[in-house]
């Protein structure tokens, strides 16, 4: 099987607070087409490594696995201000 050309990931088009208002919620959700790169959980790619650390609590959040079958099937995580893994 050949490698995909793009990875689709959902996100916010503008300020995340616009998703809480009825008249702007629909236009604030977007799916980005990103050139495919093999990544490790984190995600960790060729040029970027995400380590999600909250300095106030000292908490390290679980790395996101963008290659997990459910993440791939749903174009990544659902946009959410409340989910630290989405950030």
């Amino acid at each position: 099987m050949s490698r995909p050309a793009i990875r689709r990931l959902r996100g916010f088009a503008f300020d995340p607070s616009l998703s809480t208002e009825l008249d702007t919620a629909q236009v604030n959700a977007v799916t980005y087409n990103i050139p495919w790169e093999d990544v490790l959980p984190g995600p960790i790619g060729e040029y970027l490594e995400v380590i999600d650390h909250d300095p106030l609590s000292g908490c390290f959040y679980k790395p996101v696995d963008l290659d997990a079958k459910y993440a791939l099937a749903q174009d990544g995580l659902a946009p959410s201000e409340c989910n630290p893994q989405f950030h």
Side-chain angles (χ1 to χ4, degrees), residues 3-73:
R3 192 170 125 166
I6 61 165
R7 181 187 299 270
R8 295 170 46 89
L9 293 174
R10 294 180 288 166
F12 294 114
F14 304 104
D15 187 314
S17 67
L18 293 176
S19 293
T20 62
E21 300 176 25
L22 272 176
D23 55 338
T24 56
Q26 291 292 47
V27 298
N28 200 32
V30 66
T31 301
Y32 296 97
N33 291 328
I34 300 169
W36 186 271
E37 176 183 7
D38 293 326
V39 293
L40 298 172
I44 300 170
E46 184 176 354
Y47 297 106
L48 182 69
E49 178 177 353
V50 175
I51 299 171
D52 195 359
H53 175 250
D54 181 351
L56 292 176
S57 68
C59 179
F60 283 89
Y61 293 103
K62 181 180 174 186
V64 175
D65 184 359
L66 294 177
D67 286 338
K69 64 182 177 182
Y70 296 126
L72 284 170

